[in-house]
């Protein structure tokens, strides 16, 4: 078994231990109702994306309007993602962000991330291997400077307060660093796929060393696959109970928080919302993603990580995330 990881604090500037994800919300009523229920349950940070169906049609804005008398906008954190790399004319990029603001019924975004290191409108439903080509990485290297310059302008004009990336791995971040060093505008966050089988320890350490907030999407999406591994689910459930947690999902959430990672969870069940919030707060400080002094060490989830290949064979993998990870490393056909 691997050694238990020491708690690694997330950089200051983000006071939310967990984020409510909206990717799975599609129908108008579900979007509005889901966000209202999440905020009333205790979530104060939302994850949105131009690419998501949930962010179209103004349903997010309708939810925020309904919540305005209960929770002021200043107490909510909206992280939005622009579809692909915002290259080209700045006026066109700005117009897209202004549309995002109008649909969310807000004057600003707390954070705007580049959703993925490809041109906007890329096919994220086709063959994942088509993502990790040599040509795509070459395009990324040639265009990341222009894309980042447009992000910096959005921040300078006050449309967004923080700028960052999503689905960027170390090879992407190293290229980005060449441009952040020039303009002095730091990359505030990186949102990537992290779960028990794919803890991304090296990437997380790299991001933390650069002062970035690390957000984890789909952290519990494949938990049920662990039940197909001999004895693993029973061991994880016993560990969860030992730590006073209600489920393996809660165990994964708590472990991420204690590693200084902010999990993004999306559920339509109020009961699950409550257990997710409880797991995120169980580290001893619900008002900060920095583990409190004396907080417990993260759980050792090595039994799952050690069988990552088997988990993947059983479908427990975000194939598109792994394709982004292979860009510039395993490039496939150009």
């Amino acid at each position: 078994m691997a050694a238990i990881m020491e708690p690694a604090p997330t950089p200051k500037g983000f006071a939310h231990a967990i984020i409510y994800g909206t990717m799975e919300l599609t129908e108008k009523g579900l979007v509005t109702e889901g966000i209202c229920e999440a905020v009333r349950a205790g979530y104060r940070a939302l994850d949105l994306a131009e690419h998501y169906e949930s962010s179209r049609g103004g349903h997010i804005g309708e939810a925020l309007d309904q919540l305005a008398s209960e929770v002021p906008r200043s107490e909510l954190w909206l992280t939005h993602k622009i579809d692909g790399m915002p290259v080209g004319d700045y006026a066109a990029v700005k117009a897209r962000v202004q549309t995002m603001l109008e649909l969310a019924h807000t004057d600003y975004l707390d954070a705007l991330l580049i959703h993925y290191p490809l041109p906007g409108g890329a096919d994220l439903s086709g063959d994942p291997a088509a993502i990790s080509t040599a040509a795509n990485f070459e395009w990324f290297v040639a265009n990341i400077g222009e894309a980042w310059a447009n992000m910096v302008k959005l921040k300078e004009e006050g449309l967004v307060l923080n700028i960052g990336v999503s689905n960027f791995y170390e090879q992407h971040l190293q290229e980005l660093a060449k441009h952040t060093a020039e303009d002095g505008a730091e990359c505030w966050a990186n949102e990537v796929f992290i779960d028990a089988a794919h803890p991304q320890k090296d990437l997380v350490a790299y991001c933390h060393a650069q002062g970035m907030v690390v957000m984890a999407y789909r952290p519990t999406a494949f938990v049920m696959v662990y039940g197909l591994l001999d004895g693993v689910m029973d061991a994880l459930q016993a560990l969860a109970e030992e730590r006073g947690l209600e489920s393996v999902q809660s165990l994964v959430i708590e472990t991420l928080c204690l590693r200084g990672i902010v999990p993004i969870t999306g559920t339509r069940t109020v009961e699950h919302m409550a257990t997710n919030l409880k797991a995120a707060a169980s580290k001893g400080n619900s008002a900060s993603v920095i583990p409190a002094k004396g907080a417990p060490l993260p759980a050792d989830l090595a039994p799952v990580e050690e069988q990552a290949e088997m988990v993947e064979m059983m479908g427990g993998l975000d194939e598109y995330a792994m394709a982004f990870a292979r860009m510039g490393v395993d490039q496939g056909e150009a």
Side-chain angles (χ1 to χ4, degrees):
M1 283 190 180
I4 296 176
M5 296 170 287
E6 292 292 327
T10 295
K12 296 179 180 179
F14 188 71
H16 304 277
I18 192 167
I19 301 170
Y20 185 70
T22 62
M23 182 178 69
E24 303 297 337
L25 301 176
T26 53
E27 299 177 21
K28 175 181 177 180
L30 293 182
V31 176
T32 304
E33 183 180 345
I35 291 174
C36 287
E37 289 177 342
V39 172
R40 287 167 181 152
Y43 283 88
R44 290 295 180 269
L46 305 176
D47 181 68
L48 320 172
E50 186 182 21
H51 186 80
Y52 297 165
E53 184 67 30
S54 58
S55 291
R56 303 167 190 166
H59 315 317
I60 303 281
E62 291 178 16
L64 298 185
D65 287 347
Q66 289 184 26
L67 292 164
S69 62
E70 305 170 47
V71 182
R73 170 67 180 88
S74 59
E75 292 184 13
L76 296 176
W77 182 286
L78 302 185
T79 296
H80 221 313
K81 299 187 289 293
I82 194 164
D83 191 15
M85 286 172 43
V87 297
D89 180 55
Y90 173 69
V93 173
K94 180 178 178 179
R96 286 171 59 189
V97 174
Q98 288 174 324
T99 297
M100 294 159 68
L101 293 173
E102 291 169 4
L103 290 172
H105 297 187
T106 185
D107 297 326
Y108 67 95
L109 296 173
D110 297 278
L112 180 69
L113 313 181
I114 297 174
H115 199 160
Y116 49 85
L118 292 175
D123 183 7
L124 300 183
S125 61
D127 181 5
I131 290 174
S132 54
T133 64
N136 276 344
F137 191 70
E138 289 170 4
W139 182 91
F140 166 79
V141 172
N143 288 276
I144 183 57
E146 181 179 293
W148 191 250
N150 281 337
M151 294 288 283
V152 172
K153 289 179 184 177
L154 292 167
K155 181 180 179 182
E156 289 175 345
E157 293 192 13
L159 280 76
V160 303
L161 304 184
N162 298 278
I163 52 177
V165 297
S166 177
N167 290 303
F168 275 42
Y169 290 80
E170 194 165 338
Q171 65 274 25
H172 302 106
L173 295 171
Q174 289 173 348
E175 291 295 329
L176 174 61
K178 297 175 184 178
H179 304 283
T180 59
E182 292 175 1
D183 57 37
E186 296 181 351
C187 179
W188 177 78
N190 189 16
E191 180 181 313
V192 290
F193 169 62
I194 301 176
D195 69 358
H198 307 90
Q200 298 291 349
K201 297 175 187 175
D202 290 342
L203 177 61
V204 171
Y206 181 89
C207 291
H208 281 164
Q210 305 305 313
M212 297 179 205
V213 173
V214 179
M215 302 174 176
Y217 67 78
R218 307 194 78 189
T220 61
F222 303 109
V223 164
M224 297 311 296
V225 174
Y226 309 158
L228 302 176
L229 303 173
D230 186 31
V232 169
M233 188 63 96
D234 289 341
L236 293 176
Q237 185 60 48
L239 183 57
E241 292 174 1
E242 178 183 313
R243 298 172 73 93
L245 300 167
E246 299 177 30
S247 65
V248 173
Q249 286 87 343
S250 293
L251 177 67
V252 173
I253 290 170
E254 183 200 60
T255 300
L256 291 178
C257 289
L258 287 169
R259 291 181 58 203
I261 300 167
V262 188
I264 300 171
T265 61
T267 177
R268 284 284 295 108
T269 306
V270 175
E271 179 182 5
H272 289 165
M273 291 177 185
T275 56
N276 290 345
L277 289 161
K278 179 181 177 182
S282 65
K283 64 188 181 304
N285 187 351
S286 60
S288 171
V289 291
I290 300 177
K293 183 178 181 180
L297 292 177
D300 184 0
L301 303 184
V304 182
E305 182 185 357
E306 290 167 355
Q307 297 197 56
E309 185 174 345
M310 185 65 68
V311 171
E312 293 169 10
M313 289 176 61
M314 297 173 178
L317 173 71
D318 189 303
E319 294 182 314
Y320 297 98
M322 294 302 99
F324 290 125
R326 289 192 296 271
M327 288 180 68
V329 179
D330 173 14
Q331 299 171 331
E333 297 295 327

